[in-house]
Amino acid sequence: MSHQPQLARDPDTATQLVWAFVLTAAVLLAGVFVWPGARESLFHVFNALGGVEATQPFWAGINALADTWLTLGLLLPFVLWRPRLAILMLFAAIVATAITHTLKPGLDILRPPGVLGSDAFHLIGHSIRSEAFPSGHTVTAFTFAGLLILGLRPRWPWVALLLAVASIMGISRMVAGVHWPTDVLAGAIVGLVSVVAAVWLVDRWPAARHARWPVPVAVFVCAVCALGAPWVDVGYPQGVWANWLVALIGVAALFVGTLRYWPGRLGRSLDRRLGGIGRRGNW
């Protein structure tokens, strides 16, 4: 009798933790909006981290990793490992893009560089002045985290780690001086809610759940983003290490993926070692 690894002891835990995070972010967002001066005060608290010159390459790289191009590259090993993430990624991207690019031009809130003097804050990377709300990089970071949480259903420590990593990526937008805390909190909500909506759509659309085309499309897009990362300018020259990191991860993922799906004894051996998870297309 073959044993298949259990990815989550309680399949509802991941969803509960995601909703708890969304509700917490919503309460904080409302609090920052209501409390006079809270937006600017919190911005300066986090932006002060960018004043340490030695840490600027780190924060620049974190900002770069939250760029959509690099984040798609980071998804390559996960799509190869769990092909069912492909259709979920497609739906989440559509929902997140629709919400983000409706709110940004519609509200057209000025960013810190459009409000504060250049000597009043620290700026890392390129300067952007308009369409602050919500933070698109933060939306991307939390969409990425949500895909892994609700797509893979890991145990709660991994859920907490993914949310923490996405939070650091969101905070990096304030450290870089291009977003307010309200933008980041809204971006976190939009990103996670987009994945929840994608899960809901996939669960109620069997034809999409069992379609074959999303997998090769997702692998191709993620592979192009990963391998092309070193030559993409995301606006953070100090963080170019992140571009090369994504490329190296992509090359390693394609190498392992090729071995895994290679016909014959080698492919079967590696597939058994990985638990056979990647070849199961069922949602």
Side-chain angles (χ1 to χ4, degrees), residues 10-34:
D10 181 0
D12 293 326
T13 301
T15 303
Q16 291 169 358
L17 289 172
V18 166
W19 277 117
F21 193 96
V22 168
L23 292 175
T24 302
V27 171
L28 291 174
L29 178 61
V32 175
F33 269 127
V34 172

Side-chain angles (χ1 to χ4, degrees), residues 103-274:
L103 292 176
K104 275 182 172 293
L107 298 175
D108 196 20
I109 297 174
L110 290 177
R111 300 176 186 236
V115 176
L116 305 174
S118 59
D119 59 344
F121 69 104
H122 304 287
L123 181 66
I124 301 174
H126 55 184
S127 176
I128 310 174
R129 301 174 63 87
S130 61
E131 296 189 1
F133 188 94
S135 164
H137 282 63
T138 307
V139 171
T140 299
F142 277 92
T143 300
F144 173 79
L147 284 171
L148 300 187
I149 291 170
L150 298 182
L152 302 182
R153 303 283 178 171
R155 293 178 173 85
W156 74 263
W158 289 104
V159 175
L161 177 62
L162 286 168
L163 291 174
V165 170
S167 298
I168 292 173
M169 296 171 83
I171 288 171
S172 73
R173 301 303 286 157
M174 292 183 285
V175 177
V178 291
H179 274 294
W180 305 106
T182 46
D183 308 333
V184 173
L185 289 168
I189 295 170
V190 171
L192 292 176
V193 168
S194 297
V195 180
V196 171
V199 171
W200 185 86
L201 289 170
V202 171
D203 284 343
R204 283 154 183 78
W205 193 357
R209 193 162 64 241
H210 299 293
R212 295 184 178 182
W213 64 266
V215 176
V217 170
V219 170
F220 175 78
V221 171
C222 292
V224 169
C225 290
L227 299 181
W231 295 275
V232 176
D233 181 11
V234 295
Y236 295 94
Q238 287 180 289
V240 70
W241 60 265
N243 298 58
W244 286 101
L245 175 63
V246 171
L248 289 174
I249 291 174
V251 170
L254 289 173
F255 177 75
V256 174
T258 301
L259 292 179
R260 184 179 187 187
Y261 291 98
W262 195 267
R265 182 179 300 176
L266 178 61
R268 290 194 298 270
S269 176
L270 184 57
D271 197 51
R272 284 196 298 270
R273 289 175 180 272
L274 295 175

Side-chain angles (χ1 to χ4, degrees), residues 2-7 79-85 209 215 260-261 271 274-283:
S2 63
H3 172 70
Q4 299 292 352
Q6 186 71 21
L7 292 179
V79 174
L80 288 171
W81 175 41
R82 292 296 288 270
R84 72 182 192 181
L85 285 176
R209 193 162 64 241
V215 176
R260 184 179 187 187
Y261 291 98
D271 197 51
L274 295 175
I277 306 172
R279 292 188 178 178
R280 295 202 307 272
N282 296 331
W283 184 254

